[in-house]
């Protein structure tokens, strides 16, 4: 057994795709277990750049099998488009990609409901969703009125689909929102069902059989701990469990089959969409991070909010997920910061907070307590050993480890595959 869960430890966009791409060499399987095409992983291989939303990053490694697990919500049109795109870039998907028959489908009415809610929300209520229909699809799943990918293979699927469209059109009309053209939608989804049916499988059995044969599985988290529906900054969260526990419920692999949990964490913090963000910067330093880190959403192109590293969030992530070591990314983005700050705790109404409070009202008003450190002011992108990093950067990493109680096992200093190195005494390969 050498199964690994890799999760985002902040608000998503930590550079998970890149780290997954590097460590897939140790795994025969890569599994997406939650979220949907709200995610966006950018991976650069040589001169080619891939942006994946639904497909597991393992698709980019020959010989690696990939699963979109039962915990994921799938927009069939988006999946088909992505399959076509990667195939055009030379990636084979047939016989390598398996889509869970239990995964719920995002249908056009889910997107309309998502867009409608976001459109009519006041500034205070707006979540800033990706408008991909994620929340309404998970809501239907919990309400037991969803359609699953396996339903596409059922002879009664056209009627099931028509029935769901009619009911949702009634809801949409009563809200005064645009409705779905039933005939057009049924035709479109039936066409997609035909194209996607070769990929639909009982992935729960498939994965457990692979595990029993001794093949190792990498669980690829989407979004991040602070966007988790239970542990994040509710209601400014996504609608799934982006934390490590989600890997088991979202794939059908038992908890005791997991060997290690890797937390991907950026050397600073970003957030897309609305909601509290204690270390957010509204000044030149924030703008500098956005530019140097190219912090614009891979899915929506929105500029990301940027701020200093928040050790309160990192400690919380380590605790909830049992993180064995950090994959610390985008450290090079700090190369030109003369002074770097790190948030060690929060303060609100004279009280010191060492962990993230559940109350949004409190979190919104929390003031970060910072430690300041000198920056290293030199390029790190070509460095491939910790010993060669500038002394200030090593101090920064050491302080981050001390404050979070977790060592860094992987360091990434640039977007290319080769700009990543491991810390030998922390990182244990899984094979
Ligand atoms: P939803 O997942 O589209 O419902 O959006 C809910 C919140 O999660 C919004 O703040 C989004 O910006 C955020 N979000 C969803 N997916 C990602 C992601 O992959 N990276 C960063 N933020 C995300």
């Amino acid at each position: 057994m050498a199964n690994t869960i890799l999760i985002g430890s902040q608000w998503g966009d930590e550079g998970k795709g890149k780290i997954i791409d590097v460590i897939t060499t140790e795994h025969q399987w890569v599994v997406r277990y939650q979220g949907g095409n709200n995610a966006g992983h950018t991976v650069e291989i040589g001169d080619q750049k891939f942006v994946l939303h639904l497909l597991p990053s393992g698709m980019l490694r020959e010989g690696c099998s990939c699963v979109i697990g039962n915990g994921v919500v799938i927009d069939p049109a988006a999946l088909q488009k992505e399959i076509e795109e990667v195939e055009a870039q030379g990636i084979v998907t047939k016989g390598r990609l398996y889509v869970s028959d239990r995964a719920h489908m995002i249908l056009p009415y889910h997107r309309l409901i998502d867009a409608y809610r976001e459109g009519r929300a006041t500034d205070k209520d707006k979540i800033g969703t990706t408008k991909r229909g994620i929340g309404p699809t998970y809501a239907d799943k919990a309400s037991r009125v969803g359609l699953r990918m396996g339903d596409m293979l059922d002879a009664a699927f056209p009627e099931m689909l028509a029935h769901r469209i009619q009911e949702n059109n009634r809801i949409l009309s009563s809200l005064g929102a645009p409705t779905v053209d039933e005939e057009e939608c049924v035709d479109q989804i039936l066409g997609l069902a035909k194209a996607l049916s070769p990929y639909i499988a009982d992935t729960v059995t498939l994965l457990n059989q692979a595990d029993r044969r001794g093949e190792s599985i990498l669980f690829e988290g989407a979004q991040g701990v602070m966007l988790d529906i239970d542990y994040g900054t509710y209601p400014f969260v996504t609608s799934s469990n982006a934390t490590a526990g989600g890997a088991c419920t979202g794939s059908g692999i038992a908890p005791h089959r997991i060997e290690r949990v890797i937390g991907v964490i950026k050397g600073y913090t970003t957030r897309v969409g609305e909601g509290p963000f204690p270390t957010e910067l509204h000044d030149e330093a924030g703008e500098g991070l956005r530019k140097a880190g190219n912090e614009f959403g891979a899915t929506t192109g929105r500029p990301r909010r940027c701020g200093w590293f928040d050790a309160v969030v990192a400690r919380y992530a380590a605790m909830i997920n049992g993180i064995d070591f950090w994959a610390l990314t985008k450290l090079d983005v700090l190369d030109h910061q003369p002074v770097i700050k790190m948030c060690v705790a929060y303060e609100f109404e004279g009280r010191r907070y060492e962990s993230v409070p559940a109350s949004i009202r409190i979190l919104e008003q929390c003031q970060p307590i910072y430690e300041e450190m000198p920056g290293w002011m030199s390029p790190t992108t070509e460095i491939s050993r910790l010993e060669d990093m500038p002394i200030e950067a090593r101090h920064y990493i050491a302080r981050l480890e001390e404050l979070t109680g977790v060592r860094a096992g992987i360091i990434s200093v640039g977007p290319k595959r080769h700009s990543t190195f491991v810390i030998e005494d922390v990182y244990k390969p899984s094979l």
Side-chain angles (χ1 to χ4, degrees):
M1 172 179 69
N3 299 330
T4 303
I5 299 175
L6 187 136
I7 52 144
S9 309
Q10 294 156 316
W11 276 277
D13 309 314
E14 297 89 354
K16 294 181 285 294
K18 197 257 171 112
I19 302 296
I20 291 161
D21 176 58
V22 171
I23 65 168
T24 42
T25 48
E26 298 170 15
H27 300 84
Q28 283 97 340
W29 293 81
V30 180
V31 180
R32 271 285 305 272
Y33 59 87
Q34 45 72 230
N37 60 326
N38 48 351
H41 289 167
T42 308
V43 183
E44 287 182 33
I45 302 173
D47 295 335
Q48 272 186 304
K49 189 171 173 176
F50 296 85
V51 184
L52 303 177
H53 299 284
L54 258 174
L55 294 178
S57 305
M59 288 311 297
L60 308 181
R61 284 274 180 195
E62 223 176 299
C64 188
S65 299
C66 291
V67 166
I68 302 182
N70 53 277
V72 176
V73 287
I74 301 173
D75 181 330
L79 177 57
Q80 177 59 18
K81 183 166 173 272
E82 207 168 313
I83 289 173
E84 282 168 11
E85 276 169 11
V86 298
E87 291 239 332
Q89 284 178 284
I91 306 283
V92 177
T93 57
K94 291 257 166 58
R96 289 183 62 210
L97 172 67
Y98 302 93
V99 176
S100 173
D101 47 7
R102 291 177 167 86
H104 278 250
M105 234 181 270
I106 303 180
L107 289 160
Y109 50 81
H110 292 125
R111 283 198 305 274
L112 289 175
I113 295 172
D114 196 354
Y116 169 79
R117 286 209 187 113
E118 281 291 287
R120 68 181 274 280
T122 61
D123 282 353
K124 211 168 99 305
D125 300 333
K126 220 185 262 301
I127 290 168
T129 75
T130 58
K131 299 195 182 131
R132 299 292 192 268
I134 306 293
T137 307
Y138 278 113
D140 272 6
K141 175 179 176 176
S143 301
R144 296 153 297 180
V145 291
L147 287 173
R148 307 194 291 180
M149 292 301 284
D151 292 330
M152 284 182 162
L153 309 177
D154 195 312
F157 181 56
E159 292 87 72
M160 290 154 86
L161 179 60
H163 177 73
R164 298 300 312 133
I165 296 170
Q166 286 154 19
E167 187 178 292
N168 280 280
N169 272 347
R170 284 196 290 276
I171 296 170
L172 285 161
S173 322
S174 72
L175 294 170
T179 55
V180 174
D181 181 323
E182 183 183 329
E183 207 181 305
E184 196 182 298
C185 179
V186 170
D187 279 356
Q188 187 213 9
I189 303 293
L190 291 185
L192 289 164
K194 205 162 161 215
L196 294 172
S197 56
Y199 298 98
I200 300 174
D202 173 3
T203 56
V204 175
T205 303
L206 200 69
L207 281 174
N208 276 285
Q209 284 170 344
D211 180 50
R212 225 167 291 139
R213 285 195 300 271
E215 295 169 11
S216 75
I217 307 170
L218 174 63
F219 296 91
E220 167 178 357
Q223 291 88 42
V225 173
M226 299 305 285
L227 288 172
D228 181 282
I229 182 99
D230 284 281
Y231 303 104
T233 49
Y234 190 91
F236 301 99
V237 291
T238 190
S239 300
S240 63
N241 282 118
T243 38
C248 295
T249 52
S251 71
I253 288 285
H256 73 283
R257 304 302 298 161
I258 306 298
E259 187 194 42
R260 60 179 185 174
V261 181
I262 303 176
V264 186
I265 198 154
K266 265 196 287 222
Y268 52 99
T269 313
T270 61
R271 168 162 210 172
V272 204
E274 307 305 317
F277 176 2
T279 63
E280 181 169 14
L281 290 164
H282 299 280
D283 58 8
E284 265 172 38
E287 194 50 47
L289 291 174
R290 188 173 305 115
K291 270 210 194 107
N294 191 25
E295 294 295 355
F296 297 89
T299 299
T300 57
R302 289 181 287 178
R304 297 180 185 139
R305 298 155 67 191
C306 296
W308 296 119
F309 185 84
D310 186 338
V312 182
V313 162
R315 267 197 302 270
Y316 180 68
M319 174 174 76
I320 293 167
N321 298 286
I323 289 171
D324 291 299
F325 59 83
W326 299 122
L328 180 58
T329 61
K330 299 188 92 163
L331 214 53
D332 56 302
V333 171
L334 298 172
D335 283 354
H336 304 291
Q337 293 285 348
V339 174
I340 302 176
K341 293 187 188 180
M342 198 181 271
C343 167
V344 298
Y346 306 144
E347 203 209 294
F348 174 60
E349 288 183 341
R351 181 176 157 194
R352 187 181 166 100
Y353 288 82
E354 302 280 346
S355 188
V356 179
S359 160
I360 284 297
R361 194 190 59 82
I362 294 176
L363 188 61
E364 268 166 359
Q365 297 178 79
C366 275
Q367 291 305 312
I369 301 172
Y370 283 122
E371 266 180 25
E372 273 190 23
M373 277 167 255
W376 42 96
M377 300 295 281
S378 63
T380 55
T381 313
E382 296 304 321
I383 295 177
S384 57
R385 296 187 325 161
L386 183 65
E387 302 80 76
D388 298 334
M389 289 290 276
I391 188 73
E392 295 86 353
R394 286 160 62 189
H395 283 155
Y396 185 72
I397 297 168
R399 185 64 183 135
L400 184 155
E401 292 178 327
E402 194 174 45
L403 285 167
T404 59
V406 175
R407 299 276 313 276
I410 303 177
I411 308 262
S412 167
V413 285
K416 301 281 183 213
R417 245 182 199 172
H418 72 261
S419 316
T420 306
F421 55 91
V422 301
I423 313 291
E424 302 288 347
D425 64 319
V426 182
Y427 183 81
K428 305 263 180 316
S430 82
L431 290 182

